[in-house]
């Protein structure tokens, strides 16, 4: 039951209010003045404070100020005689929840207190959900105990507390977004908003108004002014996802935000100061894009100072069992009636050996699929997607023969490439050398075999 502090210098008055509330099951404590109330609140923060306005030692409005200063979520109801309604209204402007007029009417009292208690529990619930979210994106929740992931965690810890822009690079599905969230929640901005904009998913014509907002009448259909993403993220962090896909004119505007910390709404004249930290992510080779003129050099140099490079999964295959178990455990938590006991050693071996062109995301969807397909308590080889399940085609140096039933050239090509990658510990440049092809050709083929992610 909610706890309530009743403050009044008139003993019978606080007695009556206290008794009514106790009769409804509230836990009530009383105080004879503002100072005593403040002391009681510091000792045991109450859900709701009901206070008289006129009191000799510390008046109700001063008590309200002090409470809100110490606890912005404090819920205070003023009790006032007719003559002082104006000051009660004044108190509401300063953040009081509501006011009651004396003599206190029982029904009005109970109704107002109930509304206040409801709001308090809503605020609490919100805070709990927010903390849960923060928890989920804590650095410690990044799965993988390989040295490479340790390095990533160390970089996040080092860079998170700074206000600097950080570029997160890595192939598709390596965890760029989850790392960006970890940076935000490990930073002093964790209480502020975290917003993501996918520069590749938004048409060029809409990108500017999404990011910067627009004034009323800025274009047909702009019936009301609209704040952009940077404004909405005030006090927090913005992730510019797939920044490599950003059109050149927008790149110039982003550079200005980075330099001036100002945005200008579309159709607006006055610049607005924004306090946001900017993170950027890309799976493109921005340096190459810069050289070919696809990416502005000034923006590139601004971004490339602090980089968190995320290694592809094939370069840290020791993380595969942990990740697979992690996704399985998540499935079990969400589907308690269809629990899977584990992954058989044979299936796990295939998972570890597979070079995962789609990285962690591909592993995640492979596990999710296997869970649905498996008929027993364990995930076995037969439950894995075909490309992972298939045994590598064995080819001798000289005596390779095409089987009577024919074979898939693509599958063959893939196996050769994966074999080369395994032999070179996942380092693409080395695998390319083994296969006698250029880095770019191999990269292109890898992209071809990557599972395309959902939009
Ligand atoms: N180290 C990790 N621990 C736990 N889950 C991870 C880890 N890395 C990635 N994931 C999960 O894998 C999926 C893909 O990660 P994320 O979306 O962050 O990748 P991305 O690099 O942004 O991919 P893309 O380039 O395709 O946008 C997400 O569901 C994410 O939660
Ligand atoms: Mg992403």
């Amino acid at each position: 039951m909610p706890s309530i502090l009743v403050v009044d210098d008139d003993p019978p008055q606080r007695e009556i209010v206290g008794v009514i509330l106790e009769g409804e099951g509230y836990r009530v404590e009383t105080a004879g003045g503002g100072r005593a109330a403040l002391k009681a609140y510091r000792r045991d923060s109450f859900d709701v404070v009901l206070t008289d306005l006129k009191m000799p030692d510390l008046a109700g409005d001063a008590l309200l100020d002090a409470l809100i200063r110490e606890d912005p979520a404090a819920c205070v109801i003023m009790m006032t005689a007719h003559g002082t309604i104006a000051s009660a209204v004044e108190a509401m402007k300063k953040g009081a929840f509501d006011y009651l007029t004396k003599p206190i009417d029982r029904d009005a009292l109970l109704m107002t207190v109930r509304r206040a208690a409801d709001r308090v529990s809503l605020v609490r619930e919100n805070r709990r959900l927010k903390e849960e979210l923060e928890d989920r994106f804590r650095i410690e929740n990044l799965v993988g105990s390989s040295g490479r992931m340790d390095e990533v965690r160390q970089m996040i810890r080092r860079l998170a507390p700074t206000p600097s822009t950080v570029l997160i690079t890595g192939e598709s599905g390596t965890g760029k977004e989850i790392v960006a969230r970890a940076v935000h929640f490990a930073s002093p901005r964790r209480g502020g908003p975290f917003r993501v904009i996918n520069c590749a998913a938004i048409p060029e014509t809409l990108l500017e108004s999404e990011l910067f907002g627009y004034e009323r009448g800025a274009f047909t259909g702009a019936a009301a002014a609209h704040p952009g993403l940077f404004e909405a993220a005030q006090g927090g962090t913005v992730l510019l996802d797939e920044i490599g896909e950003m059109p050149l004119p927008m790149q110039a505007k982003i550079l200005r935000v980075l330099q001036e910390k100002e945005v200008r709404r579309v159709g607006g004249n006055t610049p607005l100061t924004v306090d946001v930290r900017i993170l950027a992510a890309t799976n493109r080779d921005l340096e190459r894009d810069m050289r070919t003129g696809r990416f502005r050099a000034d923006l590139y140099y601004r971004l490339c100072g602090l980089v968190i490079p995320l290694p592809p999964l094939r370069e840290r295959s020791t993380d595969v069992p942990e990740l697979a178990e992690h996704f399985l455990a998540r499935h079990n938590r969400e589907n308690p009636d269809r629990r899977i006991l584990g992954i058989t050693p044979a299936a796990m071996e295939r998972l570890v050996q597979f070079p995962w062109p789609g990285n962690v995301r591909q592993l995640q969807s492979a596990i999710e699929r296997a869970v649905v397909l498996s008929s027993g308590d364990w995930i076995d080889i037969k439950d894995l997607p075909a490309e992972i399940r298939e045994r590598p085609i064995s080819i001798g140096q000289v005596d390779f023969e095409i089987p009577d039933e024919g074979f898939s050239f693509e599958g063959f090509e893939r196996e050769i490439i994966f074999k080369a990658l395994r032999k070179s510990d996942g380092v693409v440049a080395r695998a390319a050398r083994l296969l006698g092809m250029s880095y770019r050709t191999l990269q292109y083929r890898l992209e071809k075999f990557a599972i395309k992610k959902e939009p």
Side-chain angles (χ1 to χ4, degrees), residues 75-296:
C75 185
V76 183
I77 298 169
M78 316 302 291
M79 298 185 291
T80 173
H82 256 307
T84 53
I85 286 186
S87 22
V89 172
E90 202 47 45
M92 303 250 327
K93 283 192 199 144
K94 287 201 261 174
F97 176 74
D98 205 346
Y99 69 88
L100 291 162
T101 47
K102 287 180 173 180
I104 301 294
D105 172 66
R106 185 174 190 277
D107 290 342
L109 169 68
L110 291 179
M111 206 168 75
T112 308
V113 168
R114 165 124 38 83
R115 273 198 302 117
D118 284 350
R119 192 194 68 164
V120 166
S121 66
L122 206 73
V123 169
R124 287 243 171 85
E125 176 66 5
N126 258 330
R127 198 181 303 160
R128 195 186 60 74
L129 287 174
K130 211 166 160 185
E131 277 164 10
E132 215 177 272
L133 199 70
E134 278 182 34
D135 246 32
R136 260 187 72 184
F137 292 113
R138 290 230 310 267
I139 301 174
E140 298 77 46
N141 290 351
L142 288 175
V143 177
S145 45
S146 63
R148 304 292 297 272
M149 277 310 288
D150 276 343
E151 280 168 32
V152 169
R153 276 185 288 264
Q154 265 172 34
M155 291 196 80
I156 299 174
R157 285 207 184 84
R158 215 171 49 233
L159 298 180
T162 73
S164 319
T165 299
V166 175
L167 179 65
I168 303 162
T169 62
E171 289 176 13
S172 172
T174 44
K176 295 184 292 294
E177 182 165 343
I178 191 175
V179 164
R181 281 179 199 273
V183 169
H184 170 72
F185 284 114
S187 82
R189 296 173 172 269
R190 73 177 68 84
F194 176 85
R195 295 287 153 86
V196 185
I197 189 149
N198 186 331
C199 305
I202 296 182
E204 185 168 348
T205 45
L206 292 184
L207 195 55
E208 181 171 9
S209 56
E210 280 292 320
L211 284 171
F212 300 111
Y214 51 83
E215 294 295 350
R216 189 170 157 219
F219 43 82
T220 341
H226 189 76
L229 188 90
F230 285 114
E231 279 177 75
Q234 196 71 256
T237 307
V238 165
L239 169 63
L240 299 172
D241 205 359
E242 320 242 5
I243 195 168
E245 307 296 335
M246 189 176 269
L248 280 163
M250 275 311 292
Q251 292 177 17
K253 293 194 165 128
I254 291 295
L255 182 67
R256 211 149 50 219
V257 178
L258 287 172
Q259 281 166 346
E260 325 283 344
K261 296 277 174 205
E262 275 179 2
V263 298
R264 210 180 288 259
R265 286 183 178 178
V266 177
N269 297 317
T270 34
L272 304 160
T273 308
V274 287
D275 166 35
V276 290
R277 185 202 199 159
I278 297 175
L279 306 176
T282 186
N283 56 15
R284 297 185 60 95
D285 180 351
L286 285 190
E287 197 188 348
R288 194 174 73 204
D289 285 349
M290 175 190 71
R291 281 196 311 262
T292 57
R294 261 197 64 143
F295 202 80
R296 285 180 69 104

